[in-house]
């Protein structure tokens, strides 16, 4: 990912978000699942349309839990990366290194409602941004804005 | 899934396991990820070959965390179903209903080592089999028998 | 716990909450930790004053993580009980049985900030109320309204 | 904690373990719960006797879940500290700094059986020892060697 700082030495928010989305949208498994990152209302969100390939159990026609886990893990990671870039803490080069190294340490997903819907939207918020790791909360809603699953994860960098 | 009891009123272990594998191997997302359930050494195991589609980050060529989450969730579910069938507790018809209804309530995955390998094998064991739910532990090893990730989940039925 | 329904066959909200607090405030370990349940702003909250006995590490003078876990587990349980009573679902006698049987299945606690403060307040909200179990989210804030830790747990009944 | 290296520049295993136990046994909340760390069979274990103060619900006479969480969090931390000291990785002074800084990031506890018994023993094993954090698995057994609860946690240092 190429992130060129502006005159202030920082990278503008929109540029950071766009570049992160571009990078995630190239992730093979993310693409394989038909998922897409996009900036909406000034924040990064993950989108996935319901698809026959994503069903867990044909009898119920609901998303496989692994689909939710995949998009929740990804949205937590990308939003954390944005937070690191825009934190203004430390040198930009160090923040870029942290973003490159960022990896999920552990994640808990709670399945709250059956994964039914035309499409699903994943969002994330930072609960803790530490020097070596962070804690993120993620949510997955369907097209009727029903909360399908929620997750909490720690990422290390 | 058709499970016909033998003269003793119970279904033989091998039949249960084969039928469960057959059902899971039809799950669209499970198939989409190239995953397969198989009986090995008398227990059900989940298998997935490394594939370009399953990579999370091309720079590192490691499995997306969602791939691990998908196979871990599935192996926990199928092994729990086998335990319910073979428990001998309650009427067979009630156990079949429980298996049909079984759903993941929540799962925690810990990523212990980068998801590198030629193929990956998922296994599960029951930690608690209750009347309404169970707690399962799952592991994912690579072809060199390195533990890649471990999970613990509760399923309700 | 004695819960006598009124003319409508239901127990008024304030009575339910008061009775639940009374019962929890008799729990030996809860008392041993100096914790107290109380209705505030129409909801049940858990309170604990900082105390020399609750410190984990004398060098840092912060709460032991187990103190947070104890009050978070308890507030999740009591708020879930209130939800069951007031749900209006099923016969009152069945709801009372569920409340009596309610037990924590699993809980994840995330420690977000050092446990410093004069006192701490625990709150909970229901994310999912099922027939056999529920998912609760709990938070622990200090006297400056800083979020110290958050938890998510499933309870069975 | 004073840890003086021997001629080889390292601290002998027994000395490390004894010092760690000594430090934990001074922790106010740990003492308040009647818990004790001790070396047994060459590893550090946590012990707690059943006590009226540790009961969650008088009707059932079982341990409060917070008691299990407290001893599981502590045993995971102390065993992780031992691993760091004895790893031989990096300078001893750096390892001492890591041990001093070690804090629980998040923990999941699964309650597998009612907390009944005369006494309880907590053990821990390292699943992953990283540069900045580790993943530990912890178990709590009763005096009849029944597994009461299991936990998995990440610690940062």
């Amino acid at each position: 990912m190429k992130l060129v700082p502006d005159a202030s030495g920082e990278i503008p928010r929109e540029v950071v978000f766009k570049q992160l989305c571009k990078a995630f949208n190239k992730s093979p498994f993310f693409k394989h699942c038909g998922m897409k990152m996009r900036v909406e209302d000034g924040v990064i969100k993950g989108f996935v349309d319901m698809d026959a390939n994503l069903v867990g159990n044909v009898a119920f026609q609901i998303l496989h839990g692994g689909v939710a886990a995949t998009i929740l893990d990804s949205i937590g990671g990308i939003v954390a990366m944005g937070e690191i870039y825009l934190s203004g803490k430390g040198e930009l080069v160090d923040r870029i290194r942290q973003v490159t190294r960022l990896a999920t340490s552990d994640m808990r997903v709670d399945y709250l409602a059956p994964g039914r819907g035309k499409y699903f939207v994943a969002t994330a918020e930072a609960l803790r941004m530490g020097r070596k790791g962070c804690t993120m909360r993620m949510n997955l809603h369907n097209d009727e804005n029903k909360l399908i699953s929620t997750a909490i994860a720690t990422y290390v960098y």
Side-chain angles (χ1 to χ4, degrees), chain A:
Chain A
M1 199 181 331
K2 269 168 275 165
L3 286 169
V4 184
D6 64 12
S8 74
E10 290 295 325
I11 306 159
R13 186 182 176 88
E14 321 86 80
V15 177
V16 167
F17 282 5
K18 268 196 179 166
Q19 295 272 27
L20 287 170
C21 288
K22 211 171 146 184
F24 268 72
N25 289 336
K26 280 181 192 161
S27 159
F29 188 60
F30 200 69
K31 272 165 65 181
H32 189 59
C33 293
M35 294 167 183
K36 210 148 183 93
M37 294 295 188
R38 211 162 62 220
V39 181
E40 201 180 81
D41 306 324
V43 297
I44 303 175
K45 298 183 182 178
F47 295 86
V48 63
D49 285 335
M50 184 39 127
D51 184 277
N53 280 329
L54 305 183
V55 167
N57 186 320
V58 282
F60 299 109
Q61 286 294 326
I62 56 176
L63 277 193
H64 191 290
V67 177
T70 299
I71 200 163
L72 288 167
D73 185 1
S74 299
I75 192 72
I78 195 172
V79 171
M81 288 177 182
E83 292 277 338
I84 295 169
Y85 268 130
L86 301 171
S87 69
K89 283 186 206 156
E91 295 294 316
L92 182 61
V93 62
D94 292 331
R95 283 181 264 152
I96 290 176
R97 198 182 310 124
Q98 287 188 319
V99 165
T100 310
R101 274 205 301 233
L102 185 138
T104 315
S105 162
D106 61 82
M107 176 170 69
R108 173 184 170 124
V109 186
D110 282 79
Y111 298 96
L112 303 175
R116 287 198 195 91
K118 287 178 202 156
Y119 62 86
F120 303 90
V121 186
T123 50
E125 60 172 324
L127 296 181
R128 178 186 65 87
M129 295 304 299
R131 277 182 313 115
K132 299 167 184 178
C134 64
T135 307
M136 306 293 296
R137 178 175 290 152
M138 297 86 84
N139 286 317
L140 187 68
H141 288 86
N142 70 5
D143 59 298
E144 292 174 345
N145 207 28
K146 189 180 176 67
L147 184 60
I148 298 299
S149 50
T150 188
I152 190 160
T154 56
Y155 297 85
V156 286
Y157 35 77

